Amino acid sequence: KIKRVTPLTWGHDEVNTSMFSDEAINGYDPVAYFTTKKAIKGEVNFAYKWNEATWYFSSQQNAELFKSNPEKYSPQFGGYCAFAVSKGFTANSDPNSFKIIDDKLYLCADQDILKQWLEGGQVTLKESIQNWK
């Protein structure tokens, strides 16, 4: 499955996965963003299949937290770049370019794109949410 920047109207997978696997958010632990405020790579020993993707965790405890409430810990817009979604497209994201806003995780393509997306404030956030529907 080839990933590229495509208009949201063309359809997209619900979760942004790796090009040649079903690995969600490049194998990073979605719970760690909330518990450590850092991007931490997950381990194959702590994997969980959800929403047609495999999610990886840095600990069994994080895997259990995710299993109990995946919607709380999974990134918004399926882990696609929030800025791209605000413009009506999907694009891959960098796990190290993230922001938690109102207890929701957002990922962007890189630090510059994240900064640009955040500068748009509530307007850009609302555009992303509206476009994702």
Side-chain angles (χ1 to χ4, degrees):
K1 154 168 100 169
I2 296 174
K3 293 281 181 205
R4 56 186 163 272
V5 176
T6 56
L8 285 171
T9 55
W10 289 8
H12 53 83
D13 293 336
E14 202 164 329
V15 175
N16 184 17
T17 56
S18 298
M19 190 178 294
F20 300 109
S21 77
D22 69 346
E23 177 183 84
I25 61 173
N26 296 296
Y28 279 72
D29 179 343
V31 176
Y33 290 102
F34 295 92
T35 60
T36 68
K37 307 294 186 233
K38 295 180 187 170
I40 298 176
K41 192 85 165 150
E43 298 178 23
V44 74
N45 319 8
F46 308 118
Y48 178 65
K49 188 95 166 154
W50 178 73
N51 221 1
E52 296 185 29
T54 301
W55 299 79
Y56 293 93
F57 306 91
S58 56
S59 69
Q60 186 62 44
Q61 180 182 0
N62 283 7
E64 295 303 324
L65 281 169
F66 185 87
K67 288 177 193 177
S68 71
N69 192 353
E71 289 84 7
K72 173 184 169 87
Y73 296 105
S74 60
Q76 301 303 294
F77 320 124
Y80 292 100
C81 173
F83 181 80
V85 172
S86 76
K87 301 299 181 192
F89 293 86
T90 60
N92 202 10
S93 58
D94 171 7
N96 292 295
S97 300
F98 71 94
K99 182 74 173 175
I100 294 175
I101 302 170
D102 296 330
D103 216 27
K104 293 182 187 315
L105 173 62
Y106 298 92
L107 300 172
C108 282
D110 61 38
Q111 291 296 322
D112 291 336
I113 295 292
L114 174 63
K115 184 178 177 211
Q116 196 173 349
W117 184 70
L118 291 171
E119 285 171 355
Q122 287 296 314
V123 171
T124 314
L125 177 58
K126 285 179 182 164
E127 288 171 345
S128 297
I129 292 167
Q130 187 59 43
N131 287 342
W132 188 250
K133 292 179 180 178

